Amino acid sequence: MDIIELSSYRPIKNSFELDTVNRIIYEKEISHWYKGHGWETAPAWDDLPFTCYTVKDAFKTNLAFCALYLTNSSIAIQDWTVVNPNVNHFKRIRALSFLCERLEKVVLSFGKSKILHFVVPDNLTEYLVKREGYQFSEKAAVLFKSPKQ
């Protein structure tokens, strides 16, 4: 019998996946990201909707997070978006881009046609407007987007 040697498994460096978040992951890891970015507080798990998502890389490292509130209208509300402060800047940008791209599909799958995102104007806001096609209202600090069908 011949022994066939298989090369070791190496995940693809830039591959990401969107996953749902459970209470344990949120409270042990993600909730601490907010303080890492200088926020005073993070939302309590019980205050978040059941539709919370994280972006993971090929090594299962959580990179980005958001909560998606579903309404009884055509609008879904994206809130509490945060990236892992312990990951390099370029990986955070790619993960955030992936999150926005996949959220469009999630929003459409729930029958919603618009995404509303309340924000504090900062680098994340600037990124979402420039790179992800959100529209920004300075008076209301709101980002608004219609997903591509």
Side-chain angles (χ1 to χ4, degrees):
M1 173 188 260
D2 292 335
I3 297 176
I4 301 172
E5 193 171 320
L6 299 174
S7 59
S8 61
Y9 170 73
R10 296 190 74 118
I12 299 169
K13 184 178 177 184
N14 292 323
S15 64
F16 298 116
E17 67 177 332
L18 188 69
D19 199 4
T20 55
V21 177
N22 64 40
R23 179 183 213 119
I24 295 167
I25 298 292
Y26 179 78
E27 290 178 347
K28 282 179 70 177
E29 181 182 356
I30 295 169
S31 65
H32 301 285
W33 294 356
Y34 297 96
K35 286 186 181 177
H37 287 291
W39 295 22
E40 291 181 23
T41 188
W45 175 258
D46 292 333
D47 296 333
L48 293 171
F50 67 91
T51 47
C52 290
Y53 299 95
T54 185
V55 173
K56 295 180 178 191
D57 66 10
F59 301 99
K60 303 300 180 193
T61 302
N62 289 304
L63 304 171
F65 168 85
C66 80
L68 188 66
Y69 294 86
L70 302 174
T71 68
N72 62 352
S73 70
S74 63
I75 296 173
I77 301 171
Q78 178 185 349
D79 206 3
W80 297 108
T81 303
V82 67
V83 291
N84 185 337
N86 302 315
V87 174
N88 81 56
H89 176 73
F90 297 106
K91 195 167 198 175
R92 290 192 314 241
I93 287 172
R94 289 192 311 271
L96 186 59
S97 181
F98 181 85
L99 176 66
C100 292
E101 175 189 311
R102 289 295 192 254
L103 269 187
E104 287 187 29
K105 293 176 181 169
V106 170
V107 165
L108 290 171
S109 76
F110 282 114
K112 308 299 179 187
S113 61
K114 296 172 188 73
I115 302 170
L116 187 65
H117 191 172
F118 298 101
V119 295
V120 175
D122 62 2
N123 292 342
L124 173 61
T125 306
E126 189 176 314
Y127 170 82
L128 290 170
V129 170
K130 286 182 180 175
R131 299 262 317 257
E132 297 303 326
Y134 283 82
Q135 297 172 7
F136 180 62
S137 167
E138 286 184 31
K139 292 181 181 178
V142 171
L143 297 176
F144 191 71
K145 184 174 187 178
S146 294
K148 297 172 192 126
Q149 304 252 352

